[in-house]
Amino acid sequence: RKEVEQDPGPFNVPEGATVAFNCTYSNSASQSFFWYRQDCRKEPKLLMSVYSSGNEDGRFTAQLNRASQYISLLIRDSKLSDSATYLCVVTSAPGGSYIPTFGRGTSLIVHP
Amino acid sequence: GAVVSQHPSRVICKSGTSVKIECRSLDFQATTMFWYRQFPKQSLMLMATSNEGSKATYEQGVEKDKFLINHASLTLSTLTVTSAHPEDSSFYICSARDNYMNTEAFFGQGTRLTVV
C-alpha cells in the first residue's frame, strides 16, 4: 500500500459546482498534513494546512480524520482558475526528521 | 512568504554530460533541503534529503554517485546529475525548510532537464 494515496481523477466539473477530494495515508504516526496546488509544469504551492479541528479559507475547506487516516479538501463554487492538480502532502518524522511525502495528485478541470 | 530560487529552470544537455542544479533559500535558513523528481503524470518522488553540513540521505533506488548533492551552507544546495542519460530527463524540484521555524517546506521553481 502506498504511503499517500489519491484518486488521480480527472474530476471534470462545471463552474459553480462543489467538488471534494480525499487522500488516505498509511502511517498512523504522521504529524502534519497539507494540500498543495500544482499547475502544469510549475512548482507545487501551498494551498492550506490541515488541522485536526478542520480549517476553512474562503471557498476551500480541509478536514482531517485521524481515526480513518484520511484528509479531505472541499472546494465550493468552483472557478475556472481552480483547474489544477491538487497534491496531498503528509509529513512523518522517522527518527526525529521531517519528511514530506506527496500523493500522486488529483486533477481538477473546471469548465464553463 | 519564504522564497526558494532554483536555477536553471530549463536545461538541455547531451547524453554523458553533467548538469548542476542550484537551489537557494533567499530569506530563511534552509537547514533541510529535499530534492524531488517528477516524471510526466507521476507524483513527486523524493530522491534525497540533506541537512546543512551533512551528507545527504538517499531514497532507495536513487544512485548517490549519479545524483551528487551538496548542502554546504544554510542557503544553498546543489544537485549534480552526472553522466546524464535520456532516462534522467525529468522535472527536478528542490524544497527547503527551516527546522526551527515551522513545518512547511517551500519549493523552488523546478528544473526541466532534457537529455538528448
Side-chain angles (χ1 to χ4, degrees):
Chain A
R1 181 184 173 185
K2 291 182 180 177
E3 288 188 53
V4 181
E5 292 202 63
Q6 292 182 254
D7 180 346
F11 285 62
N12 207 317
V13 304
E15 269 188 291
T18 295
V19 62
F21 311 134
N22 277 347
C23 168
T24 59
Y25 60 94
S26 60
N27 185 349
S28 59
S30 297
Q31 297 183 331
S32 304
F33 309 88
F34 306 90
W35 283 103
Y36 279 75
R37 169 190 170 134
Q38 186 176 27
D39 292 294
C40 189
R41 294 174 175 251
K42 298 283 183 65
E43 79 279 17
K45 292 187 178 178
L46 180 66
L47 180 65
M48 59 198 309
S49 303
V50 188
Y51 304 120
S52 297
S53 56
N55 52 310
E56 186 174 319
D57 182 4
R59 299 181 292 109
F60 299 84
T61 301
Q63 292 191 312
L64 165 65
N65 186 316
R66 282 193 183 273
S68 300
Q69 294 183 202
Y70 75 86
I71 67 172
S72 64
L73 177 67
L74 180 77
I75 305 175
R76 291 182 297 276
D77 188 23
S78 300
K79 311 291 185 190
L80 295 177
S81 57
D82 293 335
S83 298
T85 297
Y86 291 83
L87 304 171
C88 165
V89 179
V90 175
T91 67
S92 59
S97 61
Y98 163 107
I99 304 288
T101 302
F102 286 81
R104 183 179 170 184
T106 298
S107 176
L108 172 64
I109 302 171
V110 182
H111 58 82
Chain B
V3 177
V4 175
S5 177
Q6 183 175 343
H7 294 279
S9 59
R10 193 178 295 267
V11 59
I12 300 173
C13 70
K14 290 184 177 180
S15 186
T17 61
S18 295
V19 175
K20 180 184 282 188
I21 301 170
E22 288 191 352
C23 185
R24 292 180 184 275
S25 60
L26 300 185
D27 54 1
F28 68 101
Q29 294 184 334
T31 49
T32 300
M33 285 274 196
F34 305 96
W35 286 95
Y36 292 87
R37 178 168 55 182
Q38 186 178 35
F39 293 106
K41 299 188 178 182
Q42 299 294 316
S43 62
L44 285 160
M45 297 301 296
L46 181 66
M47 298 176 67
T49 303
S50 72
N51 293 304
E52 184 266 336
S54 303
K55 288 184 178 180
T57 300
Y58 289 81
E59 295 299 299
Q60 192 172 11
V62 179
E63 300 174 56
K64 63 180 181 180
D65 294 329
K66 181 171 180 61
F67 299 98
L68 301 179
I69 291 173
N70 184 288
H71 190 177
S73 79
L74 283 170
T75 59
L76 174 65
S77 177
T78 60
L79 167 68
T80 302
V81 183
T82 63
S83 187
H85 289 102
E87 58 265 31
D88 297 325
S89 299
S90 185
F91 191 50
Y92 293 85
I93 301 178
C94 67
S95 178
R97 177 177 184 262
D98 183 336
N99 292 338
Y100 304 108
M101 294 302 291
N102 56 48
T103 59
E104 180 187 346
F106 298 95
F107 287 86
Q109 299 92 329
T111 298
R112 174 130 342 251
L113 170 64
T114 303
V115 184
V116 298

